[in-house]
């Protein structure tokens, strides 16, 4: 029989614990374990609660051979899956051999690990395509096209384009890394957001005119002050307006700066910038994922226009550093509006 003190110890542990007797039945479960598996599991065979092969094998080895072990248990809840690391340890005393199984939530660590694997895979994929093209061209120039001036000139132009593509990718990766490193440090410089927008629109105007798109400024043109990093804010609106010019189409891209007396999410006055295009719009299923790294609505089109799939991820992190928020509104056939809302000074 367990003492009241032992039961109190089990209840004091914040993560799920199962005490399994030498008859393979669950003798005790603390409150987190009862919430996870149900109070009715106490007194039943442990296999009815832990139905996955890994934990079952680890517990069986502990009961039969006295071996410590660990395994992974995935619990499917109503809204998400939770990954637990199950630690199994033999417990002996009073002539009995029991097993204590503890479950530690490692979902966040698993998500981070998966995120890193996906990131490495995406970067490798993005670099492999231009590198493959470059290697193929080099082999051609070393072989059949060695003495063909016209082919050599054409291939060199392609090589320059692929090298520039890799350069853009590395540049955006470095930019994203810097932004993430500074995300928790709130900028303190005083910045005129209206001046930032004017500078960005003027720098993009030649490229827009070449693409047959006009950039139109709407709303107030006066000073609009906030605490921020001028270079990073310029990067935000450069990315948004450039994307609107490249992918929005429709012949016109507009941006407007407006004052918000009180933004409920920011709990105070704010400045909002709307960047709007008259293009084909974005289907609803794509909108929530637009700020993910390397996510593209149209992969071929994005690469053709020089996109790296990192621009909106950079925007998101800079906006978060400034304690603001990004709102995306779009529908097929109705264009898109990207709204950046930032705390006003």
């Amino acid at each position: 029989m367990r003492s009241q003190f032992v039961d109190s110890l089990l209840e004091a542990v914040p993560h799920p614990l199962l005490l399994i007797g030498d008859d393979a039945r669950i003798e005790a479960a603390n409150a987190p374990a009862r919430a996870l598996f149900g109070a009715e599991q106490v007194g039943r065979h442990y296999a009815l609660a832990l139905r996955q092969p890994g934990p079952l094998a680890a517990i069986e080895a502990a009961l039969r051979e006295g071996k410590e072990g660990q395994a992974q248990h995935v619990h499917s809840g109503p809204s998400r899956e939770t990954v637990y690391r199950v630690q199994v340890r033999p417990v002996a005393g009073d002539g009995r051999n029991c097993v204590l199984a503890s479950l530690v939530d490692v979902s966040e660590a698993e998500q981070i690990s998966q995120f890193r694997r996906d990131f490495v895979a995406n970067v490798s994929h993005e670099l492999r395509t231009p590198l493959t093209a470059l290697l193929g061209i080099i082999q051609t120039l070393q072989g059949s096209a060695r003495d063909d001036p016209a082919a050599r000139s054409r291939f060199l132009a392609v090589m320059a384009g692929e090298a520039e593509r890799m350069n853009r990718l590395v540049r955006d990766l470095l930019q994203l890394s810097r932004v993430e490193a500074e995300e928790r440090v709130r900028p303190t410089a005083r910045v005129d957001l209206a001046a930032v927008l004017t500078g960005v629109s003027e720098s993009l105007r030649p490229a827009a005119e070449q693409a047959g798109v006009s950039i139109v400024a709407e709303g107030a043109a006066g000073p609009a002050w906030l605490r921020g990093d001028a270079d990073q804010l310029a990067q935000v609106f450069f990315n948004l307006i450039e994307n609107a010019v490249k992918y929005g189409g429709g012949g016109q891209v507009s941006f407007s700066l407006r004052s918000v007396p009180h933004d409920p999410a920011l709990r105070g006055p704010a400045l909002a910038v709307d960047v709007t295009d008259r293009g084909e719009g974005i289907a609803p299923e794509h909108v929530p994922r637009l700020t993910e790294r390397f996510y593209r609505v149209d992969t071929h089109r994005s690469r053709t226009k020089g996109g790296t799939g990192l621009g909106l991820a950079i925007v998101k992190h800079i906006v978060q550093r400034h304690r603001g928020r990004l709102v995306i509104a779009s529908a097929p056939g109705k264009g898109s509006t990207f709204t950046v809302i930032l705390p006003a000074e």
Side-chain angles (χ1 to χ4, degrees):
M1 294 292 291
R2 297 186 317 278
S3 67
Q4 186 177 357
F5 177 71
V6 172
D7 287 338
S8 298
L9 285 177
L10 293 176
E11 291 295 328
V13 177
H15 55 259
L17 289 178
L18 295 173
L19 182 63
I20 301 163
D22 49 13
D23 60 355
R25 296 182 180 276
I26 298 174
E27 288 192 5
N30 65 354
R34 294 194 299 273
L36 183 63
F37 298 111
E40 70 278 3
Q41 298 296 341
V42 177
R44 295 182 177 180
H45 195 282
Y46 66 85
L48 296 176
L50 296 160
R51 297 173 180 269
Q52 298 172 19
L56 296 182
I59 293 171
E60 185 176 358
L63 285 172
R64 290 187 176 184
E65 305 169 26
K67 290 183 177 180
E68 294 185 5
Q70 68 176 29
Q72 188 179 84
H73 175 79
V74 180
H75 181 77
S76 298
S79 58
R80 68 184 185 98
E81 283 189 344
T82 306
V83 181
Y84 291 96
R85 183 177 65 247
V86 184
Q87 298 278 3
V88 178
R89 295 179 181 274
V91 180
D94 297 330
R96 303 177 65 228
N97 294 309
C98 299
V99 168
L100 185 66
S102 62
L103 291 85
V104 179
D105 187 348
V106 293
S107 301
E108 185 175 352
E110 286 292 320
Q111 288 174 353
I112 292 172
S113 178
Q114 184 62 48
F115 174 79
R116 288 174 177 168
R117 290 193 294 270
D118 291 343
F119 181 72
V120 170
N122 283 323
V123 172
S124 300
H125 176 73
E126 293 293 330
L127 287 173
R128 185 170 59 246
T129 303
L131 280 173
T132 301
L134 286 173
L135 289 171
I137 292 171
I138 290 170
Q139 290 172 359
T140 304
L141 289 174
Q142 289 174 334
S144 59
R146 176 181 300 176
D147 301 318
D148 186 341
R152 188 163 58 244
S153 177
R154 185 173 67 254
F155 284 139
L156 285 173
V158 175
M159 289 176 69
E162 295 296 341
E164 178 57 31
R165 178 176 166 183
M166 288 191 291
N167 185 51
R168 285 193 300 268
L169 177 61
V170 172
R171 182 193 62 211
D172 283 357
L173 285 170
L174 290 173
Q175 171 75 4
L176 184 59
S177 177
R178 284 194 295 267
V179 170
E180 287 184 329
E182 298 172 348
E183 190 168 345
R184 296 184 182 276
V185 181
R186 189 169 186 176
T188 57
R190 196 164 182 257
V191 178
D192 178 6
L193 190 57
V196 170
L197 287 168
T198 300
V200 169
S201 63
E202 288 304 315
S203 67
L204 282 170
R205 203 171 299 279
E209 291 175 353
Q210 188 175 1
V213 178
S214 60
I215 299 177
V216 179
E218 300 175 348
W225 297 99
L226 51 73
R227 296 290 174 177
D229 183 314
D231 290 337
Q232 287 192 349
L233 289 172
Q235 183 71 54
V236 165
F237 298 109
F238 186 94
N239 286 3
L240 291 178
I241 296 175
E242 184 184 45
N243 281 353
V245 169
K246 284 182 178 179
Y247 310 116
Q252 179 177 305
V253 169
S254 64
F255 67 91
S256 63
L257 171 62
R258 52 192 171 87
S259 178
V260 180
H262 181 82
D263 183 84
L266 303 184
R267 300 180 181 179
L271 295 171
V273 179
D274 302 307
V275 178
T276 303
D277 64 62
R278 277 73 173 175
E280 59 192 36
I282 303 167
E285 63 267 22
H286 294 297
V287 172
R289 301 190 61 189
L290 288 176
T291 57
E292 293 180 14
R293 300 179 184 192
F294 300 108
Y295 187 81
R296 297 177 174 95
V297 176
D298 185 336
T299 301
H300 177 72
R301 184 183 178 193
S302 174
R303 287 177 176 163
T304 301
K305 292 181 175 290
T308 62
L310 295 172
L312 289 178
I314 293 171
V315 167
K316 178 186 72 173
H317 286 288
I318 293 177
V319 171
Q320 288 176 347
R321 186 195 176 201
H322 285 75
R323 307 302 188 265
R325 58 195 182 97
L326 174 67
V327 180
I328 304 172
S330 185
K334 297 183 179 180
S336 305
T337 297
F338 290 75
T339 302
V340 175
I341 305 171
L342 300 166
E345 186 179 41

